[in-house]
């Protein structure tokens, strides 16, 4: 928001600059000191100057002098020069002669005296600027003392132009100066009226005017036709500063209601540019007239606080609820438009005003932010991983458990141990170092484990071995087993996951089970004790002896899933009996969760290893899982909407039961139903905050459509979480009858901050670069060429070379090397065109 | 068909018997052997011709005083073999660790015999196919539309044996001594034959013609025993530490500068050797005069009638007579063996000792003829290291890769990475790559972006002069823009006459990196491949045309560009802004939050977490990230309603505090390295 303000400030100062540019050319030095003769002979028509006369510096004038010197610059912006005139001792002319003339300052336009100022009216810079401009803008700023005067002016303006009416408690104040400075720019557009009479305020709408503070009103007289009625007034709610007044006038100048026929995301108006929200009234053909009236009514209410636009739904294909009638767009970038269903215009007004209230509260904080932004954070690390690793670099990692391998020791180490885990990393790379930390924790867990060697290779020291081991990115974890192809770890880079992977990799996958007892035991989860804590679900493939092809595929699938899960395989003669027990026939999968209490039989219809992998991975997903940071990706891959029950701690029995019923009830669920324990997954608070701005009371059931449109719906808190209620709510969602609580941002991931623009720095400093710049614009020149060549076509036909040369000479003088390249290029092209002719 | 018939066999066509090979390499010096190595590894049909009985015959004679001036740095404190090659100027490239030069000499400036031994071993251990004692005396073309290049190269050796090749790699170096002819030049001894025994110069006064390393090396050798040594040459002395060009005068040879400047009788003079004349008096002393005087004199008169400069100008500098004059003027390429149809032309100006070639090292006159090694130095003469072993070993590899693509359909080797590895792959290369480092401004790594900038393809050490032809030369396509990673010195830093030791010569701050003076990495970004015309019209001294964006990694005292904040962060921002994406790393927890609260994910989460490869991170790191304000800690948050904004502020304050106090106590060290 404030960035916009800045932009706006600069545009305003540019305006001022333009206004004062021409006279400024002549006044090079600031405070001029001249003799009377010099001064009066140098006066130019139409040029304003403020002069004061002195013999020597009289002591009383000292503070005044200081102030007037300080205001030289400010006045110069308005083309007014300040001149100190040194009177010769013997001079007794009009200005120098009299003692009291020396206590005054004189404002001249050309050689005409406009006003004398007693020095006590010019007590500081504000008063000097205010009074001088006041005198110069005599016509543009009318001073009124009575209500009648005001009304007369107002009536005269009706139907013609608007009026800016300002009250200042006294002239010569900062507020007075601000009004005058704005009048200097806008004086020709609006009629300015100034008063110091507080009584005039009573009429101006405020019942109990605070006469100690200045006020400013914009009076909409241009549209007013009824002479009996005063013009509509919009007060400026902020302090009277140049910026605020300018902003106010700009807002008043904007059209009352903007008609929009494009995607509201793309709409930008003065309001948004000035950091105010924009309210869209969503209209339809049938209700257009009424909507237009509503919009205008609302616009008057919100004048100066927000913009109002009328959006025709028939013209724009909007992906929103049919019921929505209002949309709110905030000036903050990246905040999506909110679509709402409101019943009353008051609701809109409260919405906007609340918003601005919140903003005002936050403004204090924001400013800190902005200050920081201006300092440029480009060189401040904003990568959480890099920064975290940097902050930890002083600490020595406990890496004693991990063998450091080199190019020389690598091969022997890999050969010596049954299972060697190698972390390939680069010692300068942050993610590598982060993983190394987890790796030391893994080493800690596996201390004393037989037959496992944890080792590492720093690819920054030993690039050769990393290349031969086909390590192209950091970090890479590989597991080498005697006599087998190394396996690259492709799971989560975390301590638990890696530990489990290493442990489970030790058993062959799939395990060949020899007897039916072994098979049953496997289904009950009987594994070597050291593995039991890493084992969750048993996957047993049952084949009859003849099914070698299916078995091979299953074995291949096993090698892919090795480390992630355990798999068993049974293909003895009595396999049929085993599978019958679970109501399937071979080839089949027997899935046993939670120690064999429930075994599920699934026919293995796929004969391809990849398909089997996919099937097993899918079957391993829970029906109603607790979502954690670690397992979310598995469910995300289903690319379905999520129905999440957020809970602080375990979910209640009732809710759990109902949710499970729901999950089981719908076959081939079109959505993922799950829950999240905020105690285990505190970042869930962040998720809720993103959905609802604050964390609602828990538990809360939320529908999130992650993969399409990103709408978030909240299950009504007044209903109890039962299967029936949820189902009917889901029906309503489907029918589009519910309003989303929010919509997930669709924003792309753009660079967080700009880069150093070295090209630009070089352009401004090194001239040879400019040559390259102009060359670079060659494309544009090529486009311009045709027009150019048509004009001169006749000439060129006769004397192509000469014409080309002439064109070249015709270019701006003061040329140096800069333009050479494009011009030569241009000439080449002309010649070519001629030969084509 | 014809190729198949002739390949490797003795063919008889048109009566003349000849041997056929796909590739013929002339010369078994360092570059010839280097080329042979790559051809052998690729399984190509090639043969190297060497006129001597052993490889590296030039090094058997030269340098005369037997001290190589290429450094043999055995210790760098690093074990990274690729990095160490940056400081090993003698080894050729091979996969065999036995063939590292540090195993052949312990000296920093090794003896030339070590090079001869090294080259012998290189050829023998790698079993390179070299035909010794075979001097190619004539090369001509045999037009044939079926040939790779529209013609075969027909080589004739000293025994009139003919050889036919599809591609000719000329690695003959520059071995023909430069001579000047002036009246009296018959009294001049050549560097090739002059005595290297200092005793032979005892009490003598010597004039040396030339100002290169061979001239100074000769002077260095006799400095201690002569009356004095004078050196004369047209150009002023160029010191390689001032010009950053290893071919200029190396500090190891510059003893004479010392004795000259300290007025120990030795001296340097500038003058055009063409104007010179030498006359011998009756005592056998050699007098310097000017050709001008000789032309005007009466030819019949004796030595006494010759005007000497000191007759007119009695303080003429070289008025003292010399006992010996030695010519040390360097060498040039042997143009004599090529038939005119090959159009082997000498380069222009100071490059006339080299044949004219394109930036792809292919001859300008004949397609299929490539010049390798020292003779190919015209590409980067006085700029980079292409004329020296530590440079041309890489350009030879580049030529080999171009040929593999052109003739065998093997595209330039490349690796495809996900975009998340972009910063890493650049940082890795600029820190260890030796080809980029030695062949600065000539060889560059090319990063070709894949569609949507989700992945990229990395090509190493491509000759940047033919960037416009990249697609044809490498067989890789660049439809979505590219980065060019190259190393450069500051543009106005080095050169003769420049004070390269001035205060604040080193830039320490990343934001002023473009003003870096010492060798540093520069990354150019192009939205599309520059066209031929853009390459041609680039400003002089610029390796590449104007990019769409450019990034300099600030020079580093240790040439270690791995600092997270000064090197990697600005690079990441540059890459992010070119690609318009966010290349930050995130912990799994952040990715989890993004996955549930945003419709789009940053690349790191997309390519890691979403594929179940998230970075979980240790608790300790998580805490650091929270302290840095880059990760919100939801576990300790108080969620009782209105306290929320407060705790939020808390973390923001933390962020501010951490950033307000940048720890830069060593700032002054960064800026002025010599303190």
């Amino acid at each position: 928001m404030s960035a916009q303000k800045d932009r706006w400030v600069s545009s305003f100062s540019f305006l001022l600059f333009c206004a004062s540019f021409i006279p400024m050319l002549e006044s090079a030095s600031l405070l001029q000191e001249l003799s009377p003769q010099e001064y009066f002979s140098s006066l130019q028509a139409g040029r304003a100057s403020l002069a004061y006369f002195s013999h020597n510096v009289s002591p009383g004038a000292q503070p005044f002098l200081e102030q007037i010197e300080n205001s030289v610059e400010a006045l110069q912006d308005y083309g007014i020069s300040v001149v100190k005139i040194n009177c010769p001792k013997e001079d007794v002319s009009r200005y120098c002669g009299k003692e009291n003339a020396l206590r005054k300052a004189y404002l001249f336009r050309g050689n005409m005296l406009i006003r004398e100022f007693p020095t006590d009216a010019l007590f500081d810079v504000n008063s000097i600027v205010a009074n001088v401009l006041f005198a110069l803008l005599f016509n543009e700023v009318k001073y009124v003392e009575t209500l009648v005067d005001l009304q007369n002016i107002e009536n005269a303006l009706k139907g013609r132009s608007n009026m800016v009416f300002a009250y200042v408690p006294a002239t010569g104040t900062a507020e007075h100066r601000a009004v005058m400075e704005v009048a200097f720019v806008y004086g020709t557009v609006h009629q300015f009226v100034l008063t110091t009479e507080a009584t005039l305020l009573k009429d101006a709408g405020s019942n109990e005017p605070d006469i100690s503070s200045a006020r400013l009103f914009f009076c909409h007289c241009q549209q007013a036709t009824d002479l009996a009625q005063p013009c509509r007034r919009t007060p400026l709610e902020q302090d009277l500063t140049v910026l605020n007044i300018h902003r106010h006038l700009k807002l008043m100048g904007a059209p009352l209601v903007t008609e929009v026929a494009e995607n509201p995301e793309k709409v930008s108006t003065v309001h948004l540019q000035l950091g105010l929200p924009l309210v869209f009234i969503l209209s339809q053909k049938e209700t257009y007239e009424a909507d237009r009236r509503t919009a205008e009514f609302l616009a008057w209410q919100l004048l100066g606080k927000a913009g109002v636009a009328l959006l025709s739904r028939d013209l724009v294909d909007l992906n929103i609820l049919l019921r929505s009638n209002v949309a709110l767009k905030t000036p903050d970038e990246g905040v999506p438009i909110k679509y709402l269903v409101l019943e009353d215009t008051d609701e809109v007004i409260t919405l906007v005003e609340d918003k601005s209230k919140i903003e005002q509260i936050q403004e204090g904080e924001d400013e800190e932010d902005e200050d920081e932004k201006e300092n440029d954070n480009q060189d401040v690390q904003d990568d959480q991983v890099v920064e975290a690793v940097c902050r930890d670099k002083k600490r020595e990692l406990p890496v004693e458990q991990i063998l450091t391998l080199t190019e020389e020791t690598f091969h022997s180490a890999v050969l010596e141990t049954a299972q060697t885990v190698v972390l390939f990393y680069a010692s300068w790379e942050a993610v590598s170092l982060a993983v190394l930390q987890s790796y030391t924790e893994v080493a800690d867990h596996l201390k004393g484990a037989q037959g496992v060697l944890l080792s590492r290779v720093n690819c920054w020291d030993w690039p050769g071995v990393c290349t031969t081991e086909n390590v192209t990115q950091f970090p890479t974890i590989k597991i080498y087993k005697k006599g087998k192809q190394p396996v690259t770890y492709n799971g989560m880079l975390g301590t638990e996951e890696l530990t489990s992977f290493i442990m489970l990799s030790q058993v062959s996958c799939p395990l060949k089970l020899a007897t039916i007892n072994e098979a049953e035991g496997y289904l009950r989860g009987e594994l070597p004790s050291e593995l039991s804590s890493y084992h969750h679900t048993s996957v047993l493939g049952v084949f009859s002896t003849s099914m070698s092809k299916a078995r091979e595929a299953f074995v291949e699938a096993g090698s892919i899933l090795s480390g992630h899960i355990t798999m068993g395989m049974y293909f003895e003669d009595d396999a049929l009996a085993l599978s019958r027990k679970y109501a399937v026939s071979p080839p089949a999968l027997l899935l046993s969760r939670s120690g064999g209490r429930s075994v599920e039989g699934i026919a293995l219809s796929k004969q391809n290893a990849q398909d089997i992998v996919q099937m097993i991975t899918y079957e391993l997903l829970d029906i109603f899982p607790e979502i954690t940071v670690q397992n979310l990706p598995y469910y995300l891959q289903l690319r379905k909407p999520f129905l999440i029950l957020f809970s602080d701690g375990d979910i209640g029995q009732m809710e759990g039961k109902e949710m499970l019923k729901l999950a089981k009830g719908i076959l081939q669920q079109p959505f993922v139903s799950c829950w999240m324990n905020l105690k285990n997954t505190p970042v869930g608070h962040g998720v809720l905050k993103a959905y609802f701005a604050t964390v609602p009371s828990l538990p809360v059931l939320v529908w999130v459509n992650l993969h399409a449109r990103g709408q978030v719906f909240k299950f009504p808190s007044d209903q109890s979480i039962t299967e029936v209620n949820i189902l009917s709510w889901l029906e309503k969602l489907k029918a589009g009858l519910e309003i989303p609580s929010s919509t997930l941002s669709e924003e792309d991931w753009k660079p967080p901050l700009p880069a150093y623009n070295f090209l630009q720095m070089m352009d401004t400093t090194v001239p040879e670069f400019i040559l390259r710049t102009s060359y670079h614009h060659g494309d544009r020149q090529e486009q311009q060429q045709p027009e150019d060549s048509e004009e001169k076509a006749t000439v060129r036909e006769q004397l192509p070379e000469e014409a080309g040369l002439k064109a070249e000479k015709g270019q701006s003088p003061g040329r140096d090397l800069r333009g050479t390249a494009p011009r030569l290029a241009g000439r080449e092209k002309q010649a070519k065109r001629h030969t084509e002719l | 068909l014809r190729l198949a018939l002739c390949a490797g066999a003795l063919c008889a066509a048109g009566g003349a018997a000849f041997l056929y090979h796909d590739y013929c390499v002339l010369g078994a010096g360092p570059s010839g052997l280097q080329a042979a190595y790559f051809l052998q590894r690729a399984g190509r049909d090639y043969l190297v011709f060497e006129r001597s009985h052993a490889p590296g015959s030039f090094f058997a004679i030269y340098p005369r005083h037997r001290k190589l001036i290429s450094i043999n740095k055995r210790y760098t404190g690093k074990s990274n073999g690729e990095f160490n090659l940056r400081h090993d100027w003698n080894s050729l490239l091979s996969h065999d660790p036995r063939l590292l030069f540090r195993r052949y000499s312990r000296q920093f400036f090794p003896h030339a015999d070590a090079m001869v031994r090294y080259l012998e071993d290189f050829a023998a251990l790698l079993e390179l196919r070299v035909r010794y004692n075979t001097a190619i005396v004539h090369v001509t073309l045999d037009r044939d539309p079926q040939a790779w290049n529209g013609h075969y190269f027909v080589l004739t050796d000293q025994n009139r044996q003919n050889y036919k090749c599809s591609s000719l790699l000329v690695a003959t170096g520059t071995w023909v001594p430069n001579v000047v002819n002036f009246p009296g030049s018959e009294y001049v001894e050549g560097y090739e034959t002059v005595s290297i025994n200092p005793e032979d110069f005892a009490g003598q006064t010597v004039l040396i013609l030339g100002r290169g390393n061979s001239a100074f090396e000769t002077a260095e050798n006799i400095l201690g025993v002569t009356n004095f040594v004078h050196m004369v040459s047209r150009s002023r002395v160029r010191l390689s530490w001032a010009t950053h060009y290893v071919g200029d005068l190396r500090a190891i040879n510059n003893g004479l500068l010392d004795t000259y400047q300290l007025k120990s009788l030795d001296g340097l003079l500038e003058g055009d050797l063409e104007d010179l004349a030498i006359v011998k008096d009756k005592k056998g002393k050699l007098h310097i005069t000017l050709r001008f005087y000789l032309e005007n004199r009466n030819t019949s008169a004796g030595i006494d009638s010759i005007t000497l400069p000191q007759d007119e100008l009695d303080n003429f500098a070289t008025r003292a007579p010399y006992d010996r004059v030695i010519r040390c003027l360097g060498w040039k390429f042997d143009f004599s063996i090529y038939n005119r149809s090959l159009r082997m032309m000498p380069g222009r100006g100071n490059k006339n000792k080299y044949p004219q070639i394109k930036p792809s090292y292919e001859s300008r006159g004949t397609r299929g003829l490539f010049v390798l090694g020292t003779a190919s130095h015209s590409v980067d003469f006085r700029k980079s290291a292409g004329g020296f072993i530590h440079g041309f070993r890489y350009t030879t590899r580049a030529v080999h890769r171009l040929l593999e693509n052109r003739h065998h359909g093997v595209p330039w080797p490349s690796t495809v990475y996900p975009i998340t590895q972009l910063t890493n792959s650049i940082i890795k290369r600029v820190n260890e790559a030796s080809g980029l480092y030695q062949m600065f401004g000539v060889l560059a790594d090319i990063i070709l972006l894949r569609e949507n900038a989700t992945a990229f393809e990395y090509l190493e050490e491509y000759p940047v002069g033919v960037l416009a032809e990249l697609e044809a030369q490498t067989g890789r396509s660049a439809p979505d823009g590219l980065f060019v990673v190259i190393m450069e010195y500051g543009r106005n830093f080095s050169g003769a006459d420049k004070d390269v030791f001035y205060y604040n010569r080193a830039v320490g701050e990343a934001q002023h990196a473009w003003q870096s003076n010492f060798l540093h990495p520069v990354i150019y970004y192009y939205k599309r491949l520059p066209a031929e015309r853009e390459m041609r019209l680039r400003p002089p001294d610029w390796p590449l045309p104007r990019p769409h964006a450019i990034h300099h990694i600030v020079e580093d005292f240790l040439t270690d560009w791995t600092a997270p904040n000064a090197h990697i962060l600005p690079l990441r921002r540059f890459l992010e802004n070119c690609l318009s994406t966010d290349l930050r790393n995130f912990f799994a927890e952040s990715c989890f939050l993004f996955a549930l609260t945003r419709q789009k994910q940053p690349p790191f989460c997309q390519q890691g977490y979403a594929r179940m490869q998230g970075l979980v991170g240790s608790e300790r790191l998580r805490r650091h990230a929270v302290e840095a304000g880059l990760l919100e800690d939801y576990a300790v948050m108080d969620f009782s309603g209105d306290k929320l904004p407060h705790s939020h502020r808390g973390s923001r304050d933390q962020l501010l505090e951490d950033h307000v106090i940048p720890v830069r106590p060593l700032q002054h060290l960064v800026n002025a390295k010599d303190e």
Side-chain angles (χ1 to χ4, degrees), chain A residues 365 368-369 372 377-392 395 428-431 434-435 437-438 441 459-463 472-474 490-494 497 627-630 632-634 636-637 642 644 676 681-687 689-691 693-695 704 706 708-710 743-756 758-759 761-763 765-766 768-769 771-773 775-776 779 782 825 828-829, chain B residues 78-83 415 417-418 421 424 427-428 431-432 491 510-514 524 528 533-534 537 539-540 542 544-552 562 564-565 568-570 572-574 576-577 580-590 592-604 609-621 624-625 627-628 630-632 634-635 637 639 644 648-649 652-653 655-656 658-659 664:
Chain A
E365 284 177 51
E368 279 175 44
D369 264 7
E372 215 185 342
N377 291 345
Q378 270 171 311
D379 52 353
V380 176
Q381 187 58 259
D382 52 2
D383 183 312
Q384 50 183 235
V385 180
V386 176
E387 183 63 19
V389 168
C390 274
R391 283 170 182 244
D392 206 46
R395 185 173 70 113
W428 49 264
E429 201 257 338
V431 177
V435 170
Q437 294 218 351
S438 304
E441 290 172 5
C459 294
W460 169 223
D461 287 334
W462 308 105
T472 55
Q473 42 181 290
F474 311 121
N490 59 0
M492 283 277 172
L493 298 168
E497 292 81 1
I627 285 292
T628 61
V629 170
Q630 279 81 358
L632 175 69
Y634 293 93
L636 278 178
Q637 288 202 321
F642 275 57
I644 314 173
M676 197 186 294
T681 313
V683 62
H685 288 293
V687 176
K689 263 180 70 186
Y691 292 167
T694 54
V695 177
V704 198
L706 288 173
R709 289 208 239 154
T743 306
L744 303 189
S745 163
E746 242 187 310
E747 217 188 327
D748 281 317
W749 285 84
K750 293 284 176 203
L753 285 171
Y756 299 127
F758 289 139
L759 206 54
M761 294 183 206
M762 288 161 136
D763 279 344
T765 343
V766 190
E768 62 185 304
F769 252 80
L771 185 134
R772 313 216 313 171
T773 323
Y775 168 65
H776 179 61
D779 301 306
E782 272 166 43
E828 226 170 66
K829 211 164 298 136
Chain B
K78 293 204 165 68
S79 56
N80 186 324
E82 177 69 19
F83 174 88
T415 318
Y417 299 92
Q421 291 291 319
N424 279 353
I427 289 292
K428 174 180 148 70
N431 277 294
E432 67 179 25
R491 219 141 248 130
Q511 55 185 325
H512 304 306
W514 69 275
Y524 291 74
R528 53 176 180 78
R533 186 169 144 269
E534 288 170 78
L537 291 176
W542 285 84
L544 289 165
R546 183 185 174 89
H548 290 97
I550 196 167
H551 182 70
H552 290 251
T562 59
N565 287 310
I568 302 178
L569 177 65
R572 193 194 83 211
R573 295 214 191 285
F574 167 74
E576 280 172 338
N577 281 280
S580 184
T581 187
D582 185 332
L583 293 177
R584 284 180 293 179
N585 304 305
F586 294 99
F587 287 114
E589 187 180 311
S590 300
F592 174 86
L593 183 68
F594 299 150
L596 286 175
T597 57
R598 308 186 54 142
Q599 296 197 47
K600 291 178 179 159
Q601 310 304 310
F604 187 82
Y609 182 74
R611 294 181 185 170
M612 289 149 299
Q613 294 172 27
L615 176 66
V616 178
S618 67
E619 185 48 39
R620 207 184 154 77
L621 290 180
H624 279 304
E627 278 165 20
L630 294 169
L631 187 69
E632 205 149 345
Y634 294 97
M637 273 178 84
F639 287 95
L644 202 84
H648 185 64
R649 271 202 71 156
R652 191 202 304 269
D653 289 344
L655 184 90
L656 275 173
D658 284 333
H659 290 155
R664 286 176 183 153

Side-chain angles (χ1 to χ4, degrees), chain B residues 46-83:
Chain B
Y46 78 94
L47 187 63
V48 183
F49 299 93
E50 170 58 48
R51 65 191 153 112
S52 174
H53 62 281
S57 57
F58 187 85
F59 287 99
I61 311 167
Y62 304 114
R64 290 298 312 284
H65 303 88
R66 309 311 286 146
K67 185 180 265 187
L68 297 178
I69 52 174
S70 44
I71 60 170
N72 174 39
K73 201 164 169 59
R74 293 187 300 146
Y75 304 104
T76 60
K78 293 204 165 68
S79 56
N80 186 324
E82 177 69 19
F83 174 88

Side-chain angles (χ1 to χ4, degrees), chain A residues 563-582:
Chain A
H564 296 287
I565 56 170
T566 65
M567 280 163 65
M569 181 166 72
Y570 188 69
F571 53 95
E572 298 303 319
D573 295 337
D574 47 1
L576 194 65
L578 179 69
S579 60
R580 285 247 172 90
K581 196 172 155 189
Y582 301 103

Side-chain angles (χ1 to χ4, degrees), chain B residues 43-238:
Chain B
R44 302 295 164 215
D45 169 32
Y46 78 94
L47 187 63
V48 183
F49 299 93
E50 170 58 48
R51 65 191 153 112
S52 174
H53 62 281
S57 57
F58 187 85
F59 287 99
I61 311 167
Y62 304 114
R64 290 298 312 284
H65 303 88
R66 309 311 286 146
K67 185 180 265 187
L68 297 178
I69 52 174
S70 44
I71 60 170
N72 174 39
K73 201 164 169 59
R74 293 187 300 146
Y75 304 104
T76 60
K78 293 204 165 68
S79 56
N80 186 324
E82 177 69 19
F83 174 88
N84 285 344
L85 271 179
R86 290 181 170 188
H87 307 290
D88 172 353
W89 291 9
N90 296 293
S91 298
L92 294 178
L93 303 178
S94 79
H95 61 284
D96 193 334
R98 290 172 299 175
L99 291 170
L100 285 175
F101 201 81
R102 63 182 145 91
R103 303 171 66 105
Y104 285 79
S105 174
R106 299 168 63 84
Q107 283 164 303
F108 190 50
F109 292 104
H111 195 277
D113 289 350
M115 178 57 77
V116 177
R117 253 186 313 121
Y118 175 81
L119 294 176
E120 273 168 10
D121 279 6
F122 192 86
L125 280 173
L126 297 168
E127 298 174 333
L128 303 178
R129 294 193 282 277
V130 185
R131 196 179 168 98
Y132 295 106
N133 301 312
T134 308
I136 300 300
V137 294
H138 193 66
V139 180
T140 184
L141 291 180
D142 175 15
R143 309 253 169 228
D144 187 331
Q146 312 236 283
W148 290 355
N149 298 297
H151 49 246
Y152 290 106
F153 295 92
V154 178
L155 320 181
T156 311
D157 72 9
Q158 78 274 30
N159 302 321
R160 301 203 163 272
Q161 169 70 51
N162 283 337
Y163 308 87
K164 201 164 183 175
C165 328
S166 294
S167 191
L168 181 65
L169 307 181
V170 175
T172 51
T174 57
W175 61 272
V176 180
N178 276 321
V179 288
V180 273
N181 278 310
F182 51 79
S185 58
E186 62 270 23
Y187 307 124
V188 173
E189 298 169 82
Y191 172 76
E192 313 83 67
T193 52
V194 72
S195 164
I196 53 166
N197 182 3
E199 290 310 311
D200 293 346
F201 295 87
Q204 294 188 347
T205 306
V206 180
L207 178 71
I208 296 177
L209 309 179
R211 190 152 294 173
N213 275 302
S214 62
F216 274 93
E217 165 205 312
T218 307
E220 186 88 13
N221 185 46
I222 56 175
L223 212 54
V225 293
T226 48
N227 299 336
F228 53 82
V229 180
H230 285 170
M231 293 179 89
V232 63
S233 142
R234 186 182 338 181
S235 59
R236 302 173 44 197
V237 67
R238 274 186 296 260

